Amino acid sequence: MAMTRTETKARAGLDAETLRLMYRHMLRSRLLDERLWVLNRQGRAPFWISAEGHEAVQVAFGMNLRPQYDWVAPYYRDLALTLVLGMTPKDHILSVLQRADDPNSGGRQMPAHYGCRRLNIISTGSSVGTQLIHACGIALASRMRGEDAVTFTSIGEGGTSEGDFHEALNFAATHKLAVIFLVENNGFAISVPWQKQMPTQDVADRAKGYGIPGVIVDGCDAIACYRVAREAVKRARRGDGPTLIEAKVLRLTSHSSDDDQRRYRTSEELESDKERDSLLRFKATLEELGVLTAADADEMRAELVIELNEATEEAEAAPLPAADTAMLHVYAEPGDWRG
Amino acid sequence: MRNRVTGVAEKTYIEAIRDGIREEMQRDDRVMILGEDVGAKGGVFGVTEGLQKEFGEARVLDSPLAESLIVGVAIGAAMNGLRPIAEIQFQDFIMPAVDQIISEAAKMRYRSNGDWGVPMVLRSPFGGGVHGALYHSQSIEAIFAHIPGLRVVVPSTPYDAKGMIISALRDPDPVMYFEHKRCYRAIKGEVPDGEYTVPLDRARVVREGTDIAVFSYGMMVHSSLEAVDRLAADGFSCEVVDLRSLRPIDREAIVASASKCGKVLIVQEANLAVSVASEVAAIISEECFDSLDAPVMRLGGPEIPAMPFSPPLEQFYLVTPNKVEAKLRELAAY
Ligand SMILES: Cc1ncc(C[n+]2csc(CCOP(=O)(O)OP(=O)(O)O)c2C)c(N)n1
Ligand SMILES: [Mg+2]
């Protein structure tokens, strides 16, 4: 099956409102992300792992999925995706500050281990790759009930070396499941560059081995991401089976707050990545298209900062979990979800 | 406990498991099976024989040869409303799925603060004495009994096999349901027709006695009973307790029988170090210190990697009624 390369084609039939909304989602995630780094550097949050540089493709998928109906088995970079689907900056600040009301885990997991029952975002652990298989089980259950729900799952390019990646693709393709596999390829797995991870540069090539479409998209090109997401979701919903999508993205930050990428990347490389930032590029495109003025963008930013300040204040005022609650939810408690 | 029993029939252990699964599949269309060879062949031991014919290929799904996949798909399906049974063909081959079991299924409820859970049953045959050598004979239940968030059960009778598979399928949390291969056709017993359940957290006193308490599970319950019968002829009265559930383990039942008898033998097929027997012995030393008349004794497999193939080597590994009898006599004489 031929691999498809995609490019920005003008605006992919998107109206001005949709384009502005897309930019707003990206900016909202970026501002939150920057705030979480600040909280970390101030010593108020022990850990953060960023989505900076990955936002465009996540927003594109978020806008094409049906929240609360479709299913999502994400990985730790998917901050922007969770926001588009309906989680809030406050939800994630609560998590970073380890508060009891953190909807992801009640302060039990490290930040960026996303999960939200209400939005069909399944709880994610730390073990890289396991979520891809859960997505297959979810899609199988949707099919058994005759639903046309789509299941989205994602992973980094490093994670594609895990056996679970193969097991999941093999199964989803064999059973033509409505699963979308997104590989957010930022070229690094912590410090290990893709050249030491895999023999060929394009993960999407592997789709051939499973007889499914493999699509490469420039993850810095928001409109191209949108087109690819729209097509993959349609295809899955029609019942035509899974798609493997590889977005070439940038990791604009160190792997996490515990890493310093200056130890293994050159400053030239880091500088050039900054210039390729999808937010800058998308903003320029929207200005060119006459969809967004500099003043619109400033206004948007100001609104989002207000939301963020309120969220930070509220989250900081929220209580930590009581120590004795550590014993709860090992097995189903009254009121827990029971299937 | 709901009991809607219409009659009773003599069944093998394997028939009892199948009956339980079939009846629950008839009652609850969320129940499905996936695993290697579970469909047309009915599993390598025949537990799922006839089920694909009755329920179709979607509900009795022949999976690819991929254990992490089998368990991971069951997890995802459970979170999206199904009640899957993941069959791992032999307990020995559960290893590729351990990440999915321990990192995912066991932690899902805890890590989501109760918002998600994994109502899944993982079935797998274990145990030796079937010329299965190193990779078709192991008893590695202790690995899972160590893990909070899992339930681990090992029925030893057809009655319990059926009642416990039904309970497992109705439980909201992941249940590891281990079947000793030698029980499948060798162990027969009365099994009620229709719907009944057996609790997943209670041991059962199989034989009442006063001199020595014997704790065991799976096939070893039967080896223990045989040995105990021989001692009874000499006037020794042994109490035999079938643990049935390894996590959570029934502390109360262990303490009650150990305190009553004052002498204790724990019998398992697995090697002893850091095992179920270790846990039972620890509970007894914590709670029954004043009631003991002898050191707690344990009988299990040797500390070698797994059961070897050649008959003398295999016999060396196995816990036989003779070995149980010898240990009981040693304890009686203490
Ligand atoms: C099974 C497993 N092994 C190792 C780790 C530690 N670890 C966390 S993230 C990571 C690198 C992942 O890189 P990639 O998949 O490319 O994703 P990225 O962080 O670049 O988005 C490693 C090695 C882990 N979480 N899980
Ligand atoms: Mg990477």
Side-chain angles (χ1 to χ4, degrees):
Chain A
M1 207 162 294
M3 190 179 64
T4 343
R5 284 195 181 264
T6 59
E7 295 145 31
T8 312
K9 289 251 181 52
R11 50 203 276 182
L14 297 174
D15 61 25
E17 202 183 323
T18 308
L19 289 167
R20 275 197 296 268
L21 179 61
M22 196 170 178
Y23 179 72
R24 188 178 191 279
H25 280 313
M26 286 166 62
L27 184 62
R28 190 170 178 234
S29 178
R30 179 64 62 87
L31 292 172
L32 171 60
D33 212 312
E34 288 170 357
R35 175 65 55 93
L36 297 174
W37 279 104
V38 170
L39 292 175
N40 172 259
R41 292 307 184 227
Q42 288 174 337
R44 291 194 280 176
F47 181 80
W48 178 236
I49 186 159
S50 191
E52 291 185 26
H54 288 229
E55 293 99 335
V57 71
Q58 294 177 16
V59 168
F61 274 99
M63 290 176 73
N64 279 286
L65 292 167
R66 280 169 58 187
Q68 298 180 46
Y69 179 70
D70 289 336
W71 287 75
V72 175
Y75 90 121
Y76 50 82
R77 298 254 179 244
D78 288 337
L79 179 70
L81 174 66
T82 68
L83 292 173
V84 179
L85 292 173
M87 296 192 80
T88 66
K90 183 179 166 186
D91 290 343
H92 296 311
I93 303 173
L94 285 166
S95 157
V96 162
L97 298 177
Q98 313 122 54
R99 299 306 206 252
D101 292 339
D102 154 32
N104 298 283
S105 78
R108 291 172 171 214
Q109 293 213 80
M110 291 174 93
H113 288 55
Y114 300 115
C116 183
R117 176 92 236 166
R118 177 175 61 86
L119 297 171
N120 284 352
I121 303 173
I122 66 161
S123 163
T124 37
S126 296
S127 192
V128 161
T130 52
Q131 74 278 11
L132 304 184
I133 298 181
H134 302 162
C136 295
I138 290 167
L140 195 70
S142 293
R143 168 183 298 170
M144 278 180 74
R145 285 194 300 268
E147 297 164 358
D148 67 351
V150 171
T151 304
F152 166 95
T153 187
S154 56
I155 191 164
E157 87 293 342
T160 69
S161 299
E162 292 280 0
D164 279 7
F165 177 79
H166 160 69
E167 294 190 23
L169 275 151
N170 180 58
F171 186 74
T174 301
H175 288 277
K176 258 189 143 184
L177 295 176
V179 180
I180 293 169
F181 295 93
L182 173 66
V183 177
E184 302 181 28
N185 185 346
N186 57 21
F188 284 87
I190 309 187
S191 67
V192 178
W194 70 264
Q195 292 90 339
K196 292 181 182 167
Q197 193 72 244
M198 47 207 187
T200 55
Q201 188 165 8
D202 299 331
V203 174
D205 283 351
R206 291 182 232 168
K208 287 194 203 95
Y210 303 105
I212 61 169
V215 181
I216 295 175
V217 64
D218 177 355
C220 298
D221 182 339
I223 294 172
C225 288
Y226 194 97
R227 297 161 69 99
V228 166
R230 188 171 53 191
E231 182 50 38
V233 171
K234 266 194 205 151
R235 183 184 144 80
R237 200 165 327 272
R238 274 200 308 265
D240 289 345
T243 308
L244 172 62
I245 292 156
E246 175 182 15
K248 307 284 193 186
V249 298
L250 300 172
R251 198 185 78 194
L252 293 175
T253 65
S254 288
H255 171 72
S256 75
S257 56
D258 294 333
D259 176 42
D260 181 358
Q261 63 178 344
R262 288 171 305 185
R263 291 180 54 185
Y264 52 86
R265 297 181 75 182
T266 65
S267 51
E268 293 76 39
E269 194 185 335
L270 296 177
E271 280 313 307
S272 93
D273 272 11
K274 269 189 204 154
E275 285 160 24
R276 293 164 59 210
D277 185 351
S278 61
L279 261 107
L280 297 177
R281 179 159 157 198
F282 194 37
K283 193 173 165 208
T285 307
L286 296 187
E287 285 175 5
E288 251 167 62
L289 290 170
V291 164
L292 187 85
T293 64
D296 291 340
D298 288 345
E299 195 182 321
M300 213 181 257
R301 172 182 289 265
E303 265 174 41
L304 291 170
V305 168
I306 291 172
E307 177 195 42
L308 198 49
N309 289 342
E310 282 173 7
T312 310
E313 244 171 68
E314 286 172 22
E316 288 202 296
L320 291 166
D324 60 0
T325 62
M327 293 306 293
L328 297 176
H329 308 297
V330 179
Y331 301 96
E333 310 281 350
D336 276 6
W337 183 83
R338 305 174 83 84
Chain B
M1 205 190 300
R2 280 192 299 174
N3 287 317
R4 279 191 221 131
V5 170
T6 49
V8 175
E10 174 102 343
K11 296 263 169 80
T12 60
Y13 184 90
I14 199 165
E15 289 168 332
I17 302 171
R18 190 187 307 125
D19 281 4
I21 294 172
R22 181 193 291 115
E23 289 174 19
E24 200 63 2
M25 287 183 82
Q26 288 165 346
R27 280 186 292 261
D28 183 351
D29 58 17
R30 298 172 306 166
V31 178
M32 60 141 342
I33 302 170
L34 76 161
E36 294 155 16
D37 304 290
V38 297
K41 182 172 167 67
V44 293
F45 291 97
V47 175
T48 58
E49 219 171 86
L51 297 181
Q52 190 178 62
K53 212 169 210 165
E54 183 172 351
F55 298 104
E57 290 190 13
R59 288 183 72 193
V60 184
L61 192 153
D62 276 318
S63 76
L65 206 174
E67 288 74 16
S68 182
L69 179 98
I70 293 167
V71 177
V73 165
I75 291 171
M79 290 198 289
N80 189 6
L82 297 187
R83 293 279 171 157
I85 301 175
E87 176 175 315
I88 298 292
Q89 202 159 68
F90 291 83
Q91 201 189 49
D92 312 67
F93 307 126
I94 211 166
M95 292 308 179
V98 167
D99 192 29
Q100 289 286 359
I101 296 166
I102 295 182
S103 308
E104 301 297 319
K107 293 178 176 59
M108 192 62 71
R109 187 174 298 286
Y110 192 79
R111 79 186 190 202
S112 66
N113 212 18
D115 279 358
W116 297 93
V118 181
M120 153 192 105
V121 178
L122 188 152
R123 284 187 37 246
S124 192
F126 77 105
V130 294
H131 316 298
L134 278 77
Y135 299 101
H136 302 79
S137 304
Q138 290 176 82
S139 299
I140 53 166
E141 56 281 359
I143 296 176
F144 304 102
H146 182 67
I147 304 298
L150 298 178
R151 288 182 180 279
V152 181
V153 300
V154 184
S156 73
T157 64
Y159 181 94
D160 283 351
K162 178 176 171 183
M164 290 177 93
I165 195 75
I166 295 173
S167 297
L169 282 165
R170 295 176 185 184
D171 194 86
D173 292 303
V175 181
M176 312 284 286
Y177 180 101
F178 293 135
E179 306 154 7
H180 198 292
K181 296 176 202 89
R182 273 195 290 143
C183 290
Y184 277 147
R185 289 168 216 281
I187 304 302
K188 298 188 182 73
E190 291 199 333
V191 177
D193 298 328
E195 187 180 357
Y196 71 97
T197 59
V198 168
L200 299 176
D201 54 2
R202 287 275 164 266
R204 183 174 73 97
V205 177
V206 182
R207 179 78 47 88
E208 289 200 32
T210 49
D211 299 331
I212 301 174
V214 183
F215 298 99
S216 189
Y217 58 94
M219 190 62 200
M220 292 304 100
V221 172
H222 303 289
S223 301
S224 299
L225 283 169
E226 211 180 309
V228 157
D229 284 344
R230 295 182 201 163
L231 259 76
D234 299 337
F236 288 107
S237 156
C238 296
E239 176 141 313
V240 178
V241 179
D242 179 358
L243 294 169
R244 297 197 293 192
S245 166
L246 308 183
R247 173 175 279 272
I249 202 159
D250 189 349
R251 273 183 101 90
E252 233 173 273
I254 293 168
V255 170
S257 293
S259 313
K260 172 175 149 195
C261 299
K263 291 183 178 180
V264 172
L265 176 65
I266 309 158
V267 183
Q268 68 182 24
E269 188 170 303
N271 60 305
L272 290 172
V274 200
S275 69
V276 172
S278 315
E279 180 62 19
V280 174
I283 291 169
I284 293 167
S285 73
E286 282 167 353
E287 308 225 11
C288 312
F289 186 73
D290 294 333
S291 323
L292 292 180
D293 300 320
V296 172
M297 290 193 186
R298 297 184 297 158
L299 183 61
E303 297 300 319
I304 56 178
M307 204 175 287
F309 188 47
S310 185
L313 302 177
E314 186 180 70
Q315 281 304 310
F316 172 81
Y317 196 112
L318 285 171
V319 172
T320 57
N322 284 349
K323 291 183 192 173
V324 180
E325 182 187 349
K327 205 77 183 163
L328 284 173
R329 291 199 186 279
E330 188 186 333
L331 197 50
Y334 186 90

